[in-house]
Amino acid sequence: MATPFVGYAVKEKGSPLELFEYDPAPLGELDIDIQVTHNGLCHTDIHMRDNDWGVSGFPFIPGHEVIGNITQVGHGVKHLSVGDRVGYAWIKDSCGGCGHCVRGYENVCLTGYTGLITAGGHGGWQKTMRAPAKFAFKIPDGLDSISAAPLLCAGVTVYSPIRKYVNRPGVKVGVIGIGGLGHLAIQFAAAVGAEVTAISTSPSKEQEAKDFGATHFVTLDQTEKLTNSFDLIINTVPSKNDYTVQMSFLRVDGTLCIVGLPIDDIRVGVLDVVFNQKKVVGSIVGGSADMQEMLQFAAVKGIKPKCQTMPLSQVNQAIEKLLRNEARYRIVLVSDF
Ligand code: NAP
Ligand code: ZN
């Protein structure tokens, strides 16, 4: 009989992570096994623990910024080999045939992608992860494993809208929420030539936000300094916040791009949308095209998250630290089975 897999699971909604064993499905011919070494801790893992979006299945093992080394490949896997260092993120499968998938935009697969940790799927907070080879990405040599992990979700999630909406030099970008996603958004936006303002509730983050590439730092309550200022705002806030006010921070024709995922409806004034032609858009992770491009871009430009490491066995303490907004700026969990 095969040895069970072991990891840290959420056994029921909102409960702390506990050691958990399960029998995996047999290795499919298009699957790989990854011996996991590192995992970024994304705020989404906490939303999933708490079933904030109604897509969690219990028990499940979170973790979707996964780095590790391949230990086994199915017979049909041609593009990866045992020993390869790979990353794994939010998406584990998609139809592969729709117009979006064939262009590498599996994040908007027309039949819906399969999430790594949705509906009871097991992610990276385990010793060995078994998953389809199709969504494993080779990590460029120029990126160390700690730095690579947060790029897989936080990185691609902000890279995609920046690539889409920052399409000329001198675009003025505001980043609201300087956490895991936000501190990478500053770096990517600055790297493509935007003038970046960090907008934060934490005055203590000013110097580091400027080190990441922000020209300006403004606290979120200084609305008079922010009015009529931006062509693009990337909002990464995970809890309730005021989108109506943030629309006033945009210039005419500006775009408010929401990537943070509180469980709230978005309310904005119709006059801003019609008379000032302002847009509210969202963006969901990134497909394989953006992922590969973002990893290369980060390696070449030297874009790295600022990380604090903790052992995976201390994942519950790491979650508490993140919820106290004390992470600077991404906690990376190092496997210690
Ligand atoms: P994080 O590291 O906790 O960062 C969030 C930041 O938002 C905090 O550091 C804080 O920055 C700010 N913030 C927190 N509460 C706030 C409040 N009440 N009002 C204003 N600002 C507040 O979280 P993360 O991992 O970056 O994730 C952020 C959000 O993005 C989560 O909701 C996550 O689920 C979502 N997400 C979405 C996607 C996608 O595809 N769309 C992908 C990944 C994650 P300051 O101290 O600077 O204020
Ligand atoms: Zn994430």
Side-chain angles (χ1 to χ4, degrees):
M1 200 177 141
T3 333
F5 278 18
V6 61
Y8 288 89
V10 185
K11 293 197 175 155
E12 54 190 70
K13 176 179 158 130
S15 69
L17 280 288
E18 288 174 56
L19 270 176
F20 168 73
E21 286 192 352
Y22 69 100
D23 294 316
L27 185 84
E29 63 172 38
L30 296 177
D31 289 345
I32 53 172
D33 280 352
I34 303 169
Q35 182 167 25
V36 180
T37 57
H38 300 84
N39 275 279
L41 170 58
C42 177
H43 213 112
T44 291
D45 292 312
I46 305 175
H47 291 298
M48 290 297 293
R49 178 196 70 175
D50 297 341
N51 199 14
D52 281 346
W53 311 321
V55 296
S56 308
F58 300 98
F60 82 101
I61 296 174
H64 61 282
E65 291 184 346
V66 191
I67 298 282
N69 302 304
I70 297 182
T71 52
Q72 215 181 161
V73 298
H75 294 303
V77 177
K78 302 291 177 224
H79 67 297
L80 294 170
S81 316
V82 169
D84 284 350
R85 186 173 64 125
V86 291
Y88 219 96
W90 177 250
I91 298 174
K92 124 173 139 180
D93 211 352
S94 74
C95 82
C98 74
H100 291 182
C101 282
V102 295
R103 288 184 296 139
Y105 299 121
E106 301 91 343
N107 55 323
V108 282
C109 168
L110 292 177
T111 57
Y113 63 78
T114 310
L116 179 65
I117 61 170
T118 52
H122 296 314
W125 298 355
Q126 53 182 325
K127 192 171 179 185
T128 302
M129 186 176 94
R130 179 164 293 170
K134 191 168 135 192
F135 284 94
F137 297 91
K138 274 196 190 170
I139 302 300
D141 290 340
L143 278 173
D144 65 279
S145 295
I146 295 172
S147 304
L151 294 174
L152 295 163
C153 177
V156 78
T157 298
V158 296
Y159 180 80
S160 288
I162 288 167
R163 188 182 188 287
K164 194 164 173 181
Y165 299 111
V166 181
N167 43 20
R168 59 184 164 81
V171 171
K172 291 187 192 294
V173 175
V175 177
I176 305 183
I178 313 306
L181 270 62
H183 90 293
L184 283 166
I186 295 173
Q187 295 189 55
F188 280 117
V192 296
E195 180 183 319
V196 185
T197 300
I199 305 166
S200 175
T201 60
S202 307
S204 64
K205 293 181 179 176
E206 176 164 2
Q207 188 52 53
E208 283 167 318
K210 289 183 173 166
D211 296 343
F212 297 138
T215 307
H216 316 281
F217 180 94
V218 183
T219 53
L220 189 53
D221 53 353
Q222 292 177 285
T223 44
E224 74 292 347
K225 283 195 183 168
L226 295 165
T227 304
N228 195 22
S229 299
F230 305 108
D231 303 300
L232 173 68
I233 292 173
I234 308 248
N235 176 316
T236 78
V237 176
S239 47
K240 194 172 173 62
N241 65 131
D242 194 336
Y243 302 115
T244 313
V245 169
Q246 292 164 23
M247 287 293 272
S248 72
F249 302 167
L250 291 174
R251 295 161 140 185
V252 167
D253 277 331
T255 302
L256 171 62
C257 178
I258 297 173
V259 292
L261 275 160
I263 357 169
D264 288 307
D265 286 340
I266 299 168
R267 288 185 159 272
V268 296
V270 69
L271 297 184
D272 255 340
V273 174
V274 177
F275 287 94
N276 294 316
Q277 300 189 174
K278 297 179 183 178
K279 294 171 275 298
V280 183
V281 301
S283 195
I284 179 70
V285 292
S288 56
D290 280 350
M291 182 72 90
Q292 276 153 354
E293 189 181 286
M294 179 276 304
L295 288 171
Q296 289 302 333
F297 187 83
V300 169
K301 292 275 187 183
I303 291 177
K304 288 187 173 176
K306 188 173 170 67
C307 301
Q308 293 170 318
T309 58
M310 289 178 73
L312 178 60
S313 56
Q314 287 179 20
V315 60
N316 290 310
Q317 291 94 312
I319 287 174
E320 290 311 313
K321 190 176 161 90
L322 182 62
L323 287 173
R324 291 193 303 268
N325 197 9
E326 286 173 5
R328 296 290 184 277
Y329 283 80
R330 197 53 139 194
I331 295 172
V332 173
L333 301 162
V334 182
S335 297
D336 61 340
F337 287 101

